[in-house]
Every structure is written in structure tokens, then in C-alpha cells.
Amino acid sequence: DHQQLPQEKGLDHTLDLLKEGYYFIMNRSNKFDSRIFETRLLGEKAICLVGEQEAKLFYDNEKFQRKNAAPGRIQKTLFGKGGVQGLDNLDHRYRKAMFMSLMTADKLEEIRQFIREEWKNHLFDAQNDVNVYEAAKYVLTRVALRWTGVPFQKEEADQWVDEFSDLFEHAADVGPKHWKARRSRQKAEEWLEDLVQQVRKETINVDQNRALYQFSLHKDPNGELLKLNIVAVELLNLLRPIVAIAIYIDFALLAMYDYPAEAERIREGNGREFIQEVRRFYPFFPFTAARVKQDFTWNNYEFKKGTLTLLDLYGTNHDPVIWEDPNRFKSERFQNWQGNPFSFIPQGGGEFDIGHRCAGEWITIDILHETVDFFSKEISFDFPEQDFDYSMNDIPALPQSNIIITNIQIIQ
Ligand code: HEM
């Protein structure tokens, strides 16, 4: 006998999702006292999951697939069409391997070096107050372009900061901001398509070890080059999220302000634990989405083929069953942490190669670690009075002030 899923009444709860933001799934999970329930979003039935066992279920490739899981409006801004996020099976494995082949120890070492150089160039001669979020986006845009091997003039980097940012800052917006994000995507894709064409025709010379060249010449499972537009979408799947690390950098600075004893721990060499706690504690990606691949039963609940299913990433990182005192910022919790693919999932869970876990998780960790070390050990600064609040119903959330620092001095 099947058990009935706890079911939220009402025709559609998309507006509640916008109102409750990162708490949407947790609120209902608490109300139903259940880690799984059913609601209606964007005009269809949706199953919501939160927790470690539930994450394990969600990342079972036999049970879920990604085809048509992301809403169209998110594809037109955040992800682009035809990218790795929406692929399954062999197509996914080939495409994911194209990303993962860039994530070698050498390449990670190199990006750490780039980030350090760019922070130095940007902050060592800062005269006035610095808006950390804006500074981070600028620094990360330059790092991203250098690391992927996309040629650029200085002024171009300045310009692409805004286009890349539009893609993640306005992905959940409606109205004019949504349209601005769509235009930015179009513009960025056209620019990259043109570059890919030049690489293929050998009319420009680019570093063969970098993403622009590698992606331009990558072959799909049929042995064919990818369509120009797909290469552009996948290059943006590197450029956009590298720039989006600015959001975590802003929260890392907020944590340094709010928890001075924690900031001290960075100076003592615990930067990695600190940034892991930043990734657990602060909101970024609320949830990820898939569809039921074929009918199955789990814990007596029936899952019907095609049903949209959301896994709560934020909620799982704050699950009191997994995390002691989940709403306390405490980096020491990562001191003896053994790693677990399903309980700590700010950038998705499961496996990298055969699953949809974030291809850029190691880069994100390295960039954050390098950045908090830089801000703790290479410079000193003050936080002027400002509005540090952030709102849990803005996606993505960000401190109101963007975090301003002043009196920047180089530590000799
Ligand atoms: C996928 C978060 C940075 C590239 C994902 C997913 C999440 C995520 C939640 C989806 C996981 C799933 O659906 O199961 C983040 C966050 C980041 C970040 C919060 C911090 C800024 C990066 C970076 C890169 C990157 C720096 C590239 C250098 C990707 C790619 C995928 C992905 C290519 C698709 C993987 C697949 O479908 O197999 N990310 N990410 N991300 N991320 Fe990230």
C-alpha cells in the first residue's frame, strides 16, 4: 500500500516561493513534519525534498533525470540552452568530462595565483573606500577571462563585468531586470561564438591548454564538434559562476565582521574551515531541480514519471539532524569533518563525473580560501558604519551595503 505524500493545498505557490525565498521548503517541511511533501509551482505539481537520505535519492541517476527540469526563464538567463545542466546519461558524461578535465591540480594552482595577483593589483593602491562586492566581481572577471584563455583588452573586462553579473543577479527576477539579463546573455553568447569560430578557423592564436581552445575543439559522443552556440553556453558556464563567487566573498567579509574570533582563526591558518562554513551558513543556491525518470516507490511514497522534484540545498545545509546548532556560524565544525557527498551540498551533492554536482566546487573553494587569506594576512582595513543586513527572500541574497571597507593598508 502506498502512503499519501503530505500535500500543500492551493492552485499554485510560486508567489509564496518568491516571498519566502530560501525558507520556502523548510517552512513546509516543518509544517508537515516531513522531509518530503508535494506542492504546486509554476503551474505544475512539484515534490520537495530536504535532508541527507533525500539528497541520496535525488542523485540516483536511475530515478531522476535533468531533461526539461530547469524552467525556461532560468535557461534564458542563468544557464543558457543546451548546456550540461540539462543533459543525461552518455551525453552528460561526455560534456561533464570536458569541464572536469580542466580541474587539475596545476590549473587550480594557477587560478589561485591569478586571484592573488588580481587582488593585489586592485587593492594595493586603493585610495578610498572599497565596495567589496563590486571589487570582487571585477577581480573575478579578469581571473575568469585569463583562466579560460579568452582574449580581452582592459576596457573589455570592465564591460563584461556587468553582462556576466546580470546573468546571476537577475535570474530569479521578473520584468525589466529579467529582460536585461536575457539581452546580456545574447550579447555574451554572440561574442563568444565569434571567438570560437576564429579558434576553429585558426584566425586567432589562443593557449591550447585553456577552456576556450579545449571547448572549441571538444567532440560529442558522435565524434562531432559542438554547435557554436553550445560552446558559448558552456564557456559562460565557466565565466558566469566564477564571477558569481563574488557573492560568497561578500558573505565571507560579513562573517569576518560579525564573528571577529572566527576571523582570527583565518590568521591562525584555518582559512579552509572558515570558507567551508561560509558555504554552509550563508544562502546562495536555494534548491536544484530534476524530473522523475521512471515510476518508482521510495519509503512507500509513489514517484510518477515526469514529476518535477526539488532538492533543498540551503535547508539540507541547515538540517538540525545533520548539523549541531545549524544556525550558528562555527568554522570549527569542519575541523575533523570527513566529507559526505549528501549532507554538505551548497553546490549540489553526489558525484562530479556521473552526476550534476557543481563542476566548479574546487575552484570556488580555492578562490575563497585565497581571498580570505589575502584579506586577513596581506591587508588591514576597517568596516565603516553600513547596512550589513541581507534578506532571505532575495535570490541571490546579498548584504544591503555590498560590504564597504575603508583605511586599507598593506601589511608589511
Ligand atoms: C552546477 C552552485 C560555482 C560550474 C552547480 C549546481 C549548483 C552550483 C547548486 C547544480 C547542482 C545540481 O543540480 O545537482 C554553485 C555555487 C557556486 C558555483 C553556489 C559559487 C559561486 C561554480 C564555478 C563553476 C561552476 C566557479 C565553473 C568554474 C558549474 C557547472 C555546473 C554547476 C558547469 C553543471 C554541472 C552538471 O550539470 O553536471 N553549481 N556553483 N560553478 N556548476 Fe556551480
Side-chain angles (χ1 to χ4, degrees), residues 58-59 66 84-86 92 96 99 103 147 234 237-238 240-242 244-246 248 284-285 287-289 313 345-349 352 355-361 363-364:
F58 182 88
Y59 283 102
R66 300 303 179 104
V84 62
Q85 291 94 342
H92 176 259
K96 191 66 173 283
F99 283 91
M103 309 299 168
W147 190 75
E234 300 298 32
N237 267 334
L238 295 171
R240 177 201 74 248
I242 291 176
I245 296 172
Y248 271 150
F284 199 148
F285 244 79
F287 49 73
T288 185
L313 304 177
I345 53 172
Q347 297 181 226
F352 292 99
H356 287 269
R357 191 182 189 108
C358 175
E361 190 163 20
I363 290 189
T364 307

mmCIF file of all heavy atoms in Angstrom, residues 58-59 66 84-86 92 96 99 103 147 234 237-238 240-242 244-246 248 284-285 287-289 313 345-349 352 355-361 363-364, ligand 1:
data_model
loop_
_atom_site.group_PDB
_atom_site.id
_atom_site.type_symbol
_atom_site.label_atom_id
_atom_site.label_comp_id
_atom_site.label_asym_id
_atom_site.label_seq_id
_atom_site.Cartn_x
_atom_site.Cartn_y
_atom_site.Cartn_z
ATOM 1 N N PHE A 58 17.756 11.800 -4.557
ATOM 2 C CA PHE A 58 17.703 12.773 -5.656
ATOM 3 C C PHE A 58 18.850 12.565 -6.644
ATOM 4 O O PHE A 58 18.695 12.779 -7.847
ATOM 5 C CB PHE A 58 17.763 14.184 -5.058
ATOM 6 C CG PHE A 58 17.672 15.291 -6.065
ATOM 7 C CD1 PHE A 58 16.438 15.792 -6.457
ATOM 8 C CD2 PHE A 58 18.819 15.851 -6.615
ATOM 9 C CE1 PHE A 58 16.346 16.824 -7.381
ATOM 10 C CE2 PHE A 58 18.742 16.884 -7.540
ATOM 11 C CZ PHE A 58 17.510 17.367 -7.919
ATOM 12 N N TYR A 59 20.009 12.148 -6.154
ATOM 13 C CA TYR A 59 21.164 11.971 -7.037
ATOM 14 C C TYR A 59 21.286 10.557 -7.601
ATOM 15 O O TYR A 59 22.325 10.201 -8.157
ATOM 16 C CB TYR A 59 22.449 12.414 -6.333
ATOM 17 C CG TYR A 59 22.555 13.927 -6.317
ATOM 18 C CD1 TYR A 59 22.256 14.669 -5.179
ATOM 19 C CD2 TYR A 59 22.892 14.615 -7.472
ATOM 20 C CE1 TYR A 59 22.317 16.059 -5.187
ATOM 21 C CE2 TYR A 59 22.955 16.000 -7.488
ATOM 22 C CZ TYR A 59 22.668 16.708 -6.348
ATOM 23 O OH TYR A 59 22.724 18.083 -6.374
ATOM 24 N N ARG A 66 17.557 15.170 -15.780
ATOM 25 C CA ARG A 66 17.563 16.633 -15.794
ATOM 26 C C ARG A 66 16.876 17.232 -17.011
ATOM 27 O O ARG A 66 16.687 18.447 -17.084
ATOM 28 C CB ARG A 66 19.002 17.143 -15.710
ATOM 29 C CG ARG A 66 19.744 16.707 -14.457
ATOM 30 C CD ARG A 66 18.991 17.140 -13.216
ATOM 31 N NE ARG A 66 19.652 16.715 -11.997
ATOM 32 C CZ ARG A 66 20.360 17.528 -11.216
ATOM 33 N NH1 ARG A 66 20.492 18.787 -11.547
ATOM 34 N NH2 ARG A 66 20.914 17.062 -10.124
ATOM 35 N N VAL A 84 25.278 21.685 -20.090
ATOM 36 C CA VAL A 84 25.481 20.443 -19.339
ATOM 37 C C VAL A 84 24.405 20.208 -18.275
ATOM 38 O O VAL A 84 24.063 19.053 -17.979
ATOM 39 C CB VAL A 84 26.907 20.446 -18.717
ATOM 40 C CG1 VAL A 84 27.080 21.603 -17.736
ATOM 41 C CG2 VAL A 84 27.260 19.125 -18.068
ATOM 42 N N GLN A 85 23.837 21.279 -17.742
ATOM 43 C CA GLN A 85 22.860 21.126 -16.654
ATOM 44 C C GLN A 85 21.650 20.286 -17.053
ATOM 45 O O GLN A 85 21.047 19.625 -16.209
ATOM 46 C CB GLN A 85 22.338 22.500 -16.190
ATOM 47 C CG GLN A 85 23.356 23.363 -15.471
ATOM 48 C CD GLN A 85 24.059 24.325 -16.413
ATOM 49 O OE1 GLN A 85 24.046 24.136 -17.634
ATOM 50 N NE2 GLN A 85 24.694 25.339 -15.855
ATOM 51 N N GLY A 86 21.286 20.338 -18.344
ATOM 52 C CA GLY A 86 20.058 19.655 -18.779
ATOM 53 C C GLY A 86 20.306 18.326 -19.468
ATOM 54 O O GLY A 86 19.386 17.738 -20.033
ATOM 55 N N HIS A 92 25.617 13.553 -21.009
ATOM 56 C CA HIS A 92 26.087 14.280 -19.823
ATOM 57 C C HIS A 92 27.524 13.903 -19.479
ATOM 58 O O HIS A 92 28.355 14.765 -19.198
ATOM 59 C CB HIS A 92 25.161 14.050 -18.625
ATOM 60 C CG HIS A 92 25.678 14.708 -17.380
ATOM 61 N ND1 HIS A 92 26.333 14.020 -16.383
ATOM 62 C CD2 HIS A 92 25.697 16.011 -17.001
ATOM 63 C CE1 HIS A 92 26.699 14.871 -15.441
ATOM 64 N NE2 HIS A 92 26.324 16.079 -15.781
ATOM 65 N N LYS A 96 30.362 16.567 -19.234
ATOM 66 C CA LYS A 96 30.906 16.864 -17.895
ATOM 67 C C LYS A 96 32.408 16.625 -17.876
ATOM 68 O O LYS A 96 33.153 17.377 -17.227
ATOM 69 C CB LYS A 96 30.198 15.995 -16.842
ATOM 70 C CG LYS A 96 30.481 16.378 -15.381
ATOM 71 C CD LYS A 96 29.913 17.738 -15.058
ATOM 72 C CE LYS A 96 29.995 18.113 -13.595
ATOM 73 N NZ LYS A 96 28.993 17.451 -12.760
ATOM 74 N N PHE A 99 34.386 19.575 -18.789
ATOM 75 C CA PHE A 99 34.593 20.514 -17.671
ATOM 76 C C PHE A 99 35.629 19.976 -16.680
ATOM 77 O O PHE A 99 36.556 20.682 -16.280
ATOM 78 C CB PHE A 99 33.276 20.757 -16.915
ATOM 79 C CG PHE A 99 32.338 21.687 -17.612
ATOM 80 C CD1 PHE A 99 31.376 21.194 -18.495
ATOM 81 C CD2 PHE A 99 32.409 23.052 -17.393
ATOM 82 C CE1 PHE A 99 30.505 22.055 -19.143
ATOM 83 C CE2 PHE A 99 31.541 23.922 -18.032
ATOM 84 C CZ PHE A 99 30.587 23.426 -18.915
ATOM 85 N N MET A 103 39.970 20.714 -14.332
ATOM 86 C CA MET A 103 40.100 20.895 -12.883
ATOM 87 C C MET A 103 41.284 20.113 -12.313
ATOM 88 O O MET A 103 41.164 19.400 -11.329
ATOM 89 C CB MET A 103 38.787 20.478 -12.181
ATOM 90 C CG MET A 103 37.545 21.120 -12.752
ATOM 91 S SD MET A 103 37.582 22.934 -12.629
ATOM 92 C CE MET A 103 36.194 23.366 -13.706
ATOM 93 N N TRP A 147 41.870 32.741 -17.081
ATOM 94 C CA TRP A 147 41.947 31.296 -16.836
ATOM 95 C C TRP A 147 41.338 30.487 -17.986
ATOM 96 O O TRP A 147 41.803 29.401 -18.316
ATOM 97 C CB TRP A 147 41.254 30.962 -15.510
ATOM 98 C CG TRP A 147 41.471 29.555 -15.052
ATOM 99 C CD1 TRP A 147 42.610 29.037 -14.502
ATOM 100 C CD2 TRP A 147 40.520 28.488 -15.096
ATOM 101 N NE1 TRP A 147 42.424 27.696 -14.200
ATOM 102 C CE2 TRP A 147 41.145 27.343 -14.549
ATOM 103 C CE3 TRP A 147 39.187 28.382 -15.530
ATOM 104 C CZ2 TRP A 147 40.507 26.112 -14.439
ATOM 105 C CZ3 TRP A 147 38.544 27.163 -15.417
ATOM 106 C CH2 TRP A 147 39.208 26.039 -14.876
ATOM 107 N N GLU A 234 28.546 26.853 -22.799
ATOM 108 C CA GLU A 234 29.411 26.159 -21.836
ATOM 109 C C GLU A 234 30.560 27.057 -21.364
ATOM 110 O O GLU A 234 30.985 26.963 -20.209
ATOM 111 C CB GLU A 234 29.945 24.848 -22.419
ATOM 112 C CG GLU A 234 28.862 23.832 -22.826
ATOM 113 C CD GLU A 234 27.961 23.333 -21.691
ATOM 114 O OE1 GLU A 234 27.696 24.090 -20.749
ATOM 115 O OE2 GLU A 234 27.506 22.166 -21.774
ATOM 116 N N ASN A 237 29.198 28.931 -18.799
ATOM 117 C CA ASN A 237 29.071 28.091 -17.602
ATOM 118 C C ASN A 237 30.357 28.061 -16.774
ATOM 119 O O ASN A 237 30.373 27.517 -15.679
ATOM 120 C CB ASN A 237 28.669 26.665 -17.977
ATOM 121 C CG ASN A 237 27.165 26.463 -17.937
ATOM 122 O OD1 ASN A 237 26.469 27.171 -17.203
ATOM 123 N ND2 ASN A 237 26.669 25.503 -18.700
ATOM 124 N N LEU A 238 31.440 28.606 -17.328
ATOM 125 C CA LEU A 238 32.658 28.831 -16.535
ATOM 126 C C LEU A 238 32.743 30.297 -16.091
ATOM 127 O O LEU A 238 32.959 30.594 -14.917
ATOM 128 C CB LEU A 238 33.910 28.495 -17.354
ATOM 129 C CG LEU A 238 34.113 27.041 -17.775
ATOM 130 C CD1 LEU A 238 35.285 26.939 -18.757
ATOM 131 C CD2 LEU A 238 34.377 26.150 -16.564
ATOM 132 N N ARG A 240 30.486 32.870 -15.990
ATOM 133 C CA ARG A 240 29.444 33.401 -15.103
ATOM 134 C C ARG A 240 29.623 32.963 -13.648
ATOM 135 O O ARG A 240 29.686 33.811 -12.761
ATOM 136 C CB ARG A 240 28.061 32.970 -15.624
ATOM 137 C CG ARG A 240 26.905 33.393 -14.747
ATOM 138 C CD ARG A 240 25.663 32.532 -15.012
ATOM 139 N NE ARG A 240 25.791 31.201 -14.460
ATOM 140 C CZ ARG A 240 25.889 30.081 -15.161
ATOM 141 N NH1 ARG A 240 25.884 30.083 -16.460
ATOM 142 N NH2 ARG A 240 26.024 28.926 -14.547
ATOM 143 N N PRO A 241 29.740 31.650 -13.374
ATOM 144 C CA PRO A 241 29.830 31.275 -11.955
ATOM 145 C C PRO A 241 31.146 31.676 -11.293
ATOM 146 O O PRO A 241 31.171 31.870 -10.085
ATOM 147 C CB PRO A 241 29.647 29.754 -11.970
ATOM 148 C CG PRO A 241 29.939 29.317 -13.362
ATOM 149 C CD PRO A 241 29.613 30.468 -14.249
ATOM 150 N N ILE A 242 32.222 31.796 -12.062
ATOM 151 C CA ILE A 242 33.454 32.294 -11.425
ATOM 152 C C ILE A 242 33.196 33.720 -10.903
ATOM 153 O O ILE A 242 33.553 34.049 -9.771
ATOM 154 C CB ILE A 242 34.669 32.240 -12.386
ATOM 155 C CG1 ILE A 242 35.070 30.786 -12.657
ATOM 156 C CG2 ILE A 242 35.866 33.005 -11.797
ATOM 157 C CD1 ILE A 242 36.193 30.591 -13.675
ATOM 158 N N ALA A 244 30.351 34.904 -10.098
ATOM 159 C CA ALA A 244 29.354 34.813 -9.010
ATOM 160 C C ALA A 244 29.978 34.478 -7.658
ATOM 161 O O ALA A 244 29.334 34.661 -6.612
ATOM 162 C CB ALA A 244 28.283 33.768 -9.372
ATOM 163 N N ILE A 245 31.208 34.015 -7.657
ATOM 164 C CA ILE A 245 31.878 33.746 -6.375
ATOM 165 C C ILE A 245 31.966 35.040 -5.553
ATOM 166 O O ILE A 245 32.109 35.000 -4.328
ATOM 167 C CB ILE A 245 33.268 33.096 -6.607
ATOM 168 C CG1 ILE A 245 33.097 31.725 -7.285
ATOM 169 C CG2 ILE A 245 34.046 32.915 -5.302
ATOM 170 C CD1 ILE A 245 34.411 31.078 -7.728
ATOM 171 N N ALA A 246 31.799 36.192 -6.225
ATOM 172 C CA ALA A 246 31.748 37.487 -5.519
ATOM 173 C C ALA A 246 30.701 37.480 -4.398
ATOM 174 O O ALA A 246 30.875 38.137 -3.373
ATOM 175 C CB ALA A 246 31.459 38.615 -6.500
ATOM 176 N N TYR A 248 29.817 34.888 -2.472
ATOM 177 C CA TYR A 248 30.418 34.215 -1.309
ATOM 178 C C TYR A 248 31.509 35.089 -0.678
ATOM 179 O O TYR A 248 31.706 35.072 0.535
ATOM 180 C CB TYR A 248 31.042 32.887 -1.722
ATOM 181 C CG TYR A 248 30.113 31.693 -1.685
ATOM 182 C CD1 TYR A 248 30.303 30.627 -2.556
ATOM 183 C CD2 TYR A 248 29.079 31.594 -0.737
ATOM 184 C CE1 TYR A 248 29.481 29.499 -2.517
ATOM 185 C CE2 TYR A 248 28.258 30.478 -0.693
ATOM 186 C CZ TYR A 248 28.461 29.438 -1.587
ATOM 187 O OH TYR A 248 27.668 28.321 -1.543
ATOM 188 N N PHE A 284 22.815 30.806 -0.953
ATOM 189 C CA PHE A 284 23.274 31.097 -2.324
ATOM 190 C C PHE A 284 22.300 30.439 -3.298
ATOM 191 O O PHE A 284 21.331 31.047 -3.728
ATOM 192 C CB PHE A 284 24.707 30.620 -2.527
ATOM 193 C CG PHE A 284 25.400 31.259 -3.702
ATOM 194 C CD1 PHE A 284 26.770 31.497 -3.685
ATOM 195 C CD2 PHE A 284 24.699 31.617 -4.831
ATOM 196 C CE1 PHE A 284 27.424 32.091 -4.766
ATOM 197 C CE2 PHE A 284 25.328 32.212 -5.912
ATOM 198 C CZ PHE A 284 26.690 32.439 -5.867
ATOM 199 N N PHE A 285 22.528 29.181 -3.628
ATOM 200 C CA PHE A 285 21.584 28.433 -4.467
ATOM 201 C C PHE A 285 20.505 27.859 -3.555
ATOM 202 O O PHE A 285 20.830 27.094 -2.662
ATOM 203 C CB PHE A 285 22.322 27.269 -5.125
ATOM 204 C CG PHE A 285 22.403 27.349 -6.610
ATOM 205 C CD1 PHE A 285 23.337 28.182 -7.214
ATOM 206 C CD2 PHE A 285 21.560 26.597 -7.414
ATOM 207 C CE1 PHE A 285 23.427 28.254 -8.591
ATOM 208 C CE2 PHE A 285 21.648 26.667 -8.797
ATOM 209 C CZ PHE A 285 22.576 27.498 -9.388
ATOM 210 N N PHE A 287 17.798 25.731 -4.181
ATOM 211 C CA PHE A 287 17.497 24.308 -4.424
ATOM 212 C C PHE A 287 17.892 23.964 -5.849
ATOM 213 O O PHE A 287 18.187 24.846 -6.649
ATOM 214 C CB PHE A 287 16.008 24.005 -4.201
ATOM 215 C CG PHE A 287 15.089 24.963 -4.914
ATOM 216 C CD1 PHE A 287 14.920 24.909 -6.286
ATOM 217 C CD2 PHE A 287 14.417 25.961 -4.199
ATOM 218 C CE1 PHE A 287 14.091 25.803 -6.944
ATOM 219 C CE2 PHE A 287 13.596 26.871 -4.855
ATOM 220 C CZ PHE A 287 13.440 26.791 -6.221
ATOM 221 N N THR A 288 17.919 22.690 -6.157
ATOM 222 C CA THR A 288 18.153 22.279 -7.537
ATOM 223 C C THR A 288 17.004 21.365 -7.978
ATOM 224 O O THR A 288 16.271 20.853 -7.139
ATOM 225 C CB THR A 288 19.545 21.636 -7.710
ATOM 226 O OG1 THR A 288 19.753 21.377 -9.106
ATOM 227 C CG2 THR A 288 19.707 20.364 -6.921
ATOM 228 N N ALA A 289 16.837 21.209 -9.295
ATOM 229 C CA ALA A 289 15.628 20.566 -9.813
ATOM 230 C C ALA A 289 15.930 19.400 -10.754
ATOM 231 O O ALA A 289 16.917 19.436 -11.498
ATOM 232 C CB ALA A 289 14.787 21.597 -10.561
ATOM 233 N N LEU A 313 18.838 22.701 -1.066
ATOM 234 C CA LEU A 313 20.270 22.751 -0.748
ATOM 235 C C LEU A 313 20.484 23.554 0.531
ATOM 236 O O LEU A 313 21.181 23.118 1.450
ATOM 237 C CB LEU A 313 21.053 23.384 -1.905
ATOM 238 C CG LEU A 313 20.892 22.714 -3.281
ATOM 239 C CD1 LEU A 313 21.664 23.486 -4.345
ATOM 240 C CD2 LEU A 313 21.347 21.259 -3.247
ATOM 241 N N ILE A 345 25.911 20.350 0.921
ATOM 242 C CA ILE A 345 25.636 20.416 -0.518
ATOM 243 C C ILE A 345 25.348 21.838 -1.030
ATOM 244 O O ILE A 345 24.409 22.037 -1.803
ATOM 245 C CB ILE A 345 24.480 19.461 -0.896
ATOM 246 C CG1 ILE A 345 23.229 19.701 -0.024
ATOM 247 C CG2 ILE A 345 24.912 18.007 -0.771
ATOM 248 C CD1 ILE A 345 21.990 18.905 -0.499
ATOM 249 N N PRO A 346 26.182 22.817 -0.651
ATOM 250 C CA PRO A 346 25.921 24.169 -1.164
ATOM 251 C C PRO A 346 26.016 24.232 -2.692
ATOM 252 O O PRO A 346 25.374 25.082 -3.319
ATOM 253 C CB PRO A 346 27.017 25.020 -0.520
ATOM 254 C CG PRO A 346 28.100 24.061 -0.125
ATOM 255 C CD PRO A 346 27.389 22.779 0.195
ATOM 256 N N GLN A 347 26.814 23.361 -3.293
ATOM 257 C CA GLN A 347 26.973 23.369 -4.742
ATOM 258 C C GLN A 347 26.504 22.037 -5.332
ATOM 259 O O GLN A 347 27.023 21.551 -6.332
ATOM 260 C CB GLN A 347 28.429 23.713 -5.110
ATOM 261 C CG GLN A 347 28.759 25.125 -4.627
ATOM 262 C CD GLN A 347 30.161 25.613 -4.931
ATOM 263 O OE1 GLN A 347 30.789 26.165 -4.043
ATOM 264 N NE2 GLN A 347 30.651 25.443 -6.144
ATOM 265 N N GLY A 348 25.483 21.497 -4.712
ATOM 266 C CA GLY A 348 24.928 20.224 -5.162
ATOM 267 C C GLY A 348 25.644 19.061 -4.496
ATOM 268 O O GLY A 348 26.677 19.237 -3.843
ATOM 269 N N GLY A 349 25.071 17.851 -4.648
ATOM 270 C CA GLY A 349 25.627 16.675 -3.992
ATOM 271 C C GLY A 349 25.974 15.573 -4.971
ATOM 272 O O GLY A 349 26.010 15.788 -6.185
ATOM 273 N N PHE A 352 30.839 14.084 -9.089
ATOM 274 C CA PHE A 352 31.154 15.087 -10.112
ATOM 275 C C PHE A 352 30.976 14.517 -11.523
ATOM 276 O O PHE A 352 30.322 15.114 -12.367
ATOM 277 C CB PHE A 352 32.596 15.579 -9.955
ATOM 278 C CG PHE A 352 32.811 16.375 -8.707
ATOM 279 C CD1 PHE A 352 33.365 15.787 -7.578
ATOM 280 C CD2 PHE A 352 32.438 17.713 -8.648
ATOM 281 C CE1 PHE A 352 33.562 16.530 -6.418
ATOM 282 C CE2 PHE A 352 32.624 18.465 -7.496
ATOM 283 C CZ PHE A 352 33.195 17.858 -6.372
ATOM 284 N N GLY A 355 27.392 12.602 -12.023
ATOM 285 C CA GLY A 355 26.244 13.347 -11.501
ATOM 286 C C GLY A 355 26.357 14.816 -11.863
ATOM 287 O O GLY A 355 27.262 15.225 -12.586
ATOM 288 N N HIS A 356 25.417 15.602 -11.338
ATOM 289 C CA HIS A 356 25.379 17.026 -11.690
ATOM 290 C C HIS A 356 26.010 17.917 -10.640
ATOM 291 O O HIS A 356 25.826 19.122 -10.664
ATOM 292 C CB HIS A 356 23.945 17.451 -11.982
ATOM 293 C CG HIS A 356 23.440 16.938 -13.287
ATOM 294 N ND1 HIS A 356 23.560 17.657 -14.454
ATOM 295 C CD2 HIS A 356 22.858 15.765 -13.619
ATOM 296 C CE1 HIS A 356 23.043 16.954 -15.451
ATOM 297 N NE2 HIS A 356 22.607 15.791 -14.968
ATOM 298 N N ARG A 357 26.743 17.336 -9.712
ATOM 299 C CA ARG A 357 27.428 18.153 -8.726
ATOM 300 C C ARG A 357 28.263 19.223 -9.436
ATOM 301 O O ARG A 357 28.860 18.974 -10.485
ATOM 302 C CB ARG A 357 28.345 17.265 -7.875
ATOM 303 C CG ARG A 357 28.892 17.975 -6.670
ATOM 304 C CD ARG A 357 29.835 17.099 -5.866
ATOM 305 N NE ARG A 357 30.138 17.797 -4.627
ATOM 306 C CZ ARG A 357 29.671 17.446 -3.441
ATOM 307 N NH1 ARG A 357 28.913 16.372 -3.320
ATOM 308 N NH2 ARG A 357 29.958 18.158 -2.378
ATOM 309 N N CYS A 358 28.305 20.407 -8.839
ATOM 310 C CA CYS A 358 28.968 21.568 -9.443
ATOM 311 C C CYS A 358 30.391 21.256 -9.903
ATOM 312 O O CYS A 358 31.241 20.837 -9.126
ATOM 313 C CB CYS A 358 28.994 22.708 -8.442
ATOM 314 S SG CYS A 358 29.915 24.144 -8.998
ATOM 315 N N ALA A 359 30.636 21.553 -11.186
ATOM 316 C CA ALA A 359 31.970 21.321 -11.763
ATOM 317 C C ALA A 359 33.004 22.271 -11.167
ATOM 318 O O ALA A 359 34.205 21.997 -11.213
ATOM 319 C CB ALA A 359 31.906 21.515 -13.280
ATOM 320 N N GLY A 360 32.543 23.377 -10.618
ATOM 321 C CA GLY A 360 33.469 24.411 -10.159
ATOM 322 C C GLY A 360 33.651 24.440 -8.650
ATOM 323 O O GLY A 360 34.141 25.430 -8.103
ATOM 324 N N GLU A 361 33.286 23.367 -7.972
ATOM 325 C CA GLU A 361 33.344 23.411 -6.497
ATOM 326 C C GLU A 361 34.779 23.588 -5.988
ATOM 327 O O GLU A 361 35.028 24.379 -5.079
ATOM 328 C CB GLU A 361 32.715 22.149 -5.895
ATOM 329 C CG GLU A 361 32.543 22.265 -4.388
ATOM 330 C CD GLU A 361 31.570 21.259 -3.808
ATOM 331 O OE1 GLU A 361 31.293 20.224 -4.463
ATOM 332 O OE2 GLU A 361 31.079 21.510 -2.688
ATOM 333 N N ILE A 363 37.321 24.960 -7.559
ATOM 334 C CA ILE A 363 37.749 26.326 -7.879
ATOM 335 C C ILE A 363 37.169 27.305 -6.881
ATOM 336 O O ILE A 363 37.846 28.219 -6.411
ATOM 337 C CB ILE A 363 37.265 26.728 -9.284
ATOM 338 C CG1 ILE A 363 38.004 25.958 -10.347
ATOM 339 C CG2 ILE A 363 37.412 28.226 -9.509
ATOM 340 C CD1 ILE A 363 37.711 26.469 -11.733
ATOM 341 N N THR A 364 35.905 27.110 -6.573
ATOM 342 C CA THR A 364 35.238 28.017 -5.633
ATOM 343 C C THR A 364 35.949 27.987 -4.283
ATOM 344 O O THR A 364 36.242 29.034 -3.694
ATOM 345 C CB THR A 364 33.755 27.605 -5.465
ATOM 346 O OG1 THR A 364 33.154 27.526 -6.759
ATOM 347 C CG2 THR A 364 33.005 28.604 -4.600
HETATM 348 C C1 HEM B 1 26.318 23.131 -11.169
HETATM 349 C C2 HEM B 1 26.379 26.003 -7.276
HETATM 350 C C3 HEM B 1 30.496 27.988 -8.787
HETATM 351 C C4 HEM B 1 30.250 25.394 -12.842
HETATM 352 C C5 HEM B 1 26.017 23.715 -9.964
HETATM 353 C C6 HEM B 1 24.876 23.367 -9.155
HETATM 354 C C7 HEM B 1 24.895 24.168 -8.073
HETATM 355 C C8 HEM B 1 26.049 25.018 -8.179
HETATM 356 C C9 HEM B 1 23.875 24.191 -6.940
HETATM 357 C C10 HEM B 1 23.802 22.343 -9.530
HETATM 358 C C11 HEM B 1 23.972 21.043 -8.807
HETATM 359 C C12 HEM B 1 22.854 20.095 -9.182
HETATM 360 O O1 HEM B 1 21.926 20.482 -9.900
HETATM 361 O O2 HEM B 1 22.885 18.938 -8.763
HETATM 362 C C13 HEM B 1 27.457 26.830 -7.390
HETATM 363 C C14 HEM B 1 27.765 27.889 -6.461
HETATM 364 C C15 HEM B 1 28.914 28.454 -6.893
HETATM 365 C C16 HEM B 1 29.337 27.737 -8.090
HETATM 366 C C17 HEM B 1 26.938 28.284 -5.238
HETATM 367 C C18 HEM B 1 29.610 29.618 -6.287
HETATM 368 C C19 HEM B 1 29.788 30.697 -6.965
HETATM 369 C C20 HEM B 1 30.831 27.390 -9.972
HETATM 370 C C21 HEM B 1 32.038 27.649 -10.701
HETATM 371 C C22 HEM B 1 31.960 26.940 -11.858
HETATM 372 C C23 HEM B 1 30.701 26.214 -11.833
HETATM 373 C C24 HEM B 1 33.157 28.569 -10.227
HETATM 374 C C25 HEM B 1 32.918 26.832 -13.001
HETATM 375 C C26 HEM B 1 34.163 27.194 -12.958
HETATM 376 C C27 HEM B 1 29.141 24.587 -12.746
HETATM 377 C C28 HEM B 1 28.706 23.694 -13.800
HETATM 378 C C29 HEM B 1 27.565 23.031 -13.318
HETATM 379 C C30 HEM B 1 27.335 23.547 -11.979
HETATM 380 C C31 HEM B 1 29.348 23.514 -15.157
HETATM 381 C C32 HEM B 1 26.724 21.977 -14.043
HETATM 382 C C33 HEM B 1 27.176 20.599 -13.635
HETATM 383 C C34 HEM B 1 26.332 19.490 -14.219
HETATM 384 O O3 HEM B 1 25.179 19.734 -14.602
HETATM 385 O O4 HEM B 1 26.834 18.353 -14.306
HETATM 386 N N1 HEM B 1 26.724 24.717 -9.356
HETATM 387 N N2 HEM B 1 28.410 26.769 -8.350
HETATM 388 N N3 HEM B 1 30.055 26.509 -10.681
HETATM 389 N N4 HEM B 1 28.300 24.481 -11.682
HETATM 390 FE FE1 HEM B 1 28.428 25.550 -9.974
#
